[in-house]
Amino acid sequence: MNETFTLAHLSDLHLCSLNDVKVRELLNKRIYGYLKWQLKRRSEHRREVLDALLLNLQHTTPDHIAVTGDLTHLGLPKEFREARNLLQSLGSPSRVTVIPGNHDTYVSTDWNSTFELWTDYMLSDEAHLGAKAGTNVNTTFPSLRVRGIAALIGVSTARPSAPLLAVGSVGQIQLQKLEKILAETGKQRLFRVVLIHHPPVDGTVSWRKRLTDASAFRSVLDQHGVELILHGHAHRSSLNHLETTAGTVPAFGVPSASALGRTSSRRARYHLYRFKANPRGWEMVVTVMCYSPAQQRFTEEIEKDVLLPRPLG
């Protein structure tokens, strides 16, 4: 098997439509996000950056695109509709996989006016084939989509949290299902990519933005193995590692895909992962694509080989 699979990873789009927001929609935690948007983020997250991203993806032509949460800023129904339009510009549901982030669940919302708009980008393959679709985030995830040699496993950490907090959790129900998915896809010798919004490695983000059950999540990965972890949330490119029984697993984070960047490290980026099997296991090359304000386009910033754990057994 000499197939190469190319996966694009982007995150934290923070699409926001506040021109006609109603006061009643802000009488909750959203007021904090609204003020932050008006004071800072509206000049940071720009549509022209997203337009440049869409154009660049037409040139890099990945086999699949993964979006790891925070497509919206306040989780408003109008933002979900705007995000749906962007997803359609990225590609068909068969070529784009989405998981939610904490901003997408800023407060408790009606499923039918929000996440229902994205279900065909979130559902597992078996759900697309006629199984009953989930009616909330808990029943939809973890998701499994098999594309060639890749098993794309979506985990939701999106939960409403208290004001000034941006924590997330996986939960016991998801963890139990995740064990089965990892075990089955491991037996099939697939390249398992776990998509999660909150970073699972301690210290990647502050305490108020943490994954509350990171230890339990890491325990499942240690027991059943995984080849690659992709996350968002931190708004910067990062590479951390998880030590597991099978070996050292890379955990990559990407910045916001729409950010002009107050500093160069916060500038919009997305990653391309090209992986294939070799006689010893797997090999992977990572390319970081970065937005250039001067050129108003995405350009290649760096390319590097990444060591991957050997397969179990």
Side-chain angles (χ1 to χ4, degrees):
M1 182 170 61
N2 206 28
E3 175 187 354
T4 298
F5 190 90
T6 302
L7 176 66
H9 172 210
L10 48 138
S11 194
D12 296 80
L13 310 180
H14 286 272
L15 295 169
C16 196
S17 298
L18 297 180
N19 292 335
D20 57 354
V21 64
K22 305 295 190 297
V23 173
R24 67 175 181 274
E25 295 177 307
L26 301 176
L27 297 179
N28 46 43
K29 181 183 175 179
R30 285 191 180 126
I31 189 63
Y32 296 96
Y34 174 82
L35 293 173
K36 191 170 186 178
W37 179 266
Q38 297 292 5
L39 293 173
K40 183 168 62 175
R41 285 199 169 184
R42 68 174 177 175
S43 61
E44 170 74 353
H45 298 285
R46 306 294 300 178
R47 180 68 208 199
E48 61 266 27
V49 180
L50 287 176
D51 289 340
L53 171 71
L54 292 171
L55 183 62
N56 189 255
L57 284 167
Q58 293 177 13
H59 293 288
T60 55
T61 60
D63 295 307
H64 201 82
I65 299 172
V67 187
T68 53
D70 281 4
L71 285 75
T72 72
H73 186 64
L74 297 179
L76 291 163
K78 184 177 180 180
E79 293 174 319
F80 274 84
R81 293 193 294 272
E82 186 177 353
R84 169 75 189 193
N85 291 336
L86 180 72
L87 290 173
Q88 291 174 327
S89 297
L90 285 173
S92 67
S94 65
R95 292 191 63 248
V96 181
T97 295
V98 171
I99 63 166
N102 57 290
H103 277 264
D104 304 319
T105 54
Y106 221 59
V107 299
S108 296
T109 54
D110 173 58
W111 174 271
N112 292 329
S113 62
T114 55
F115 286 108
E116 197 276 332
L117 298 169
W118 302 351
T119 50
D120 48 354
Y121 287 91
M122 299 190 301
L123 291 178
S124 297
D125 290 332
E126 62 179 20
H128 283 296
L129 295 174
K132 183 178 180 181
T135 55
N136 58 58
V137 171
N138 289 329
T139 56
T140 302
F141 295 97
S143 61
L144 171 62
R145 295 174 146 202
V146 176
R147 301 291 182 270
I149 60 174
L152 305 169
I153 303 166
V155 175
S156 174
T157 59
R159 303 284 186 275
S161 59
L164 305 182
L165 291 180
V167 298
S169 63
V170 180
Q172 191 59 38
I173 294 176
Q174 272 197 92
L175 289 173
Q176 291 174 353
K177 294 179 181 178
L178 179 61
E179 288 190 73
K180 295 179 181 178
I181 290 174
L182 289 173
E184 291 171 1
T185 51
K187 290 176 183 177
Q188 297 171 39
R189 301 294 186 187
L190 294 170
F191 188 93
R192 295 164 296 177
V193 185
V194 168
L195 310 174
I196 189 169
H197 183 67
H198 288 76
V201 179
D202 292 339
T204 309
V205 292
S206 66
W207 179 87
R208 72 179 189 86
K209 297 181 179 182
R210 75 196 187 283
L211 179 63
T212 60
D213 52 359
S215 178
F217 175 73
R218 293 193 299 262
S219 178
V220 170
L221 300 187
D222 178 59
Q223 182 178 357
H224 297 282
V226 67
E227 281 64 57
L228 180 63
I229 304 165
L230 304 181
H231 69 81
H233 196 47
H235 284 223
R236 64 179 183 274
S237 282
S238 64
L239 170 57
N240 291 295
H241 298 88
L242 284 182
E243 297 299 331
T244 72
T245 304
T248 301
V249 179
F252 280 93
V254 291
S256 164
S258 65
L260 280 173
R262 301 186 301 278
T263 62
S264 60
S265 65
R266 295 280 178 165
R267 194 157 295 149
R269 289 172 174 82
Y270 76 93
H271 295 176
L272 290 167
Y273 309 90
R274 296 180 177 89
F275 45 86
K276 66 179 180 179
N278 66 32
R280 296 169 298 163
W282 299 100
E283 60 184 71
M284 183 172 73
V285 176
V286 180
T287 304
V288 178
M289 305 297 297
C290 181
Y291 180 72
S292 167
Q295 301 179 56
Q296 297 184 324
R297 64 187 181 95
F298 280 79
T299 61
E300 183 177 321
E301 182 177 43
I302 189 173
E303 185 172 276
K304 58 184 176 182
D305 295 321
V306 176
L307 294 175
L308 294 169
R310 296 191 178 194
L312 289 169

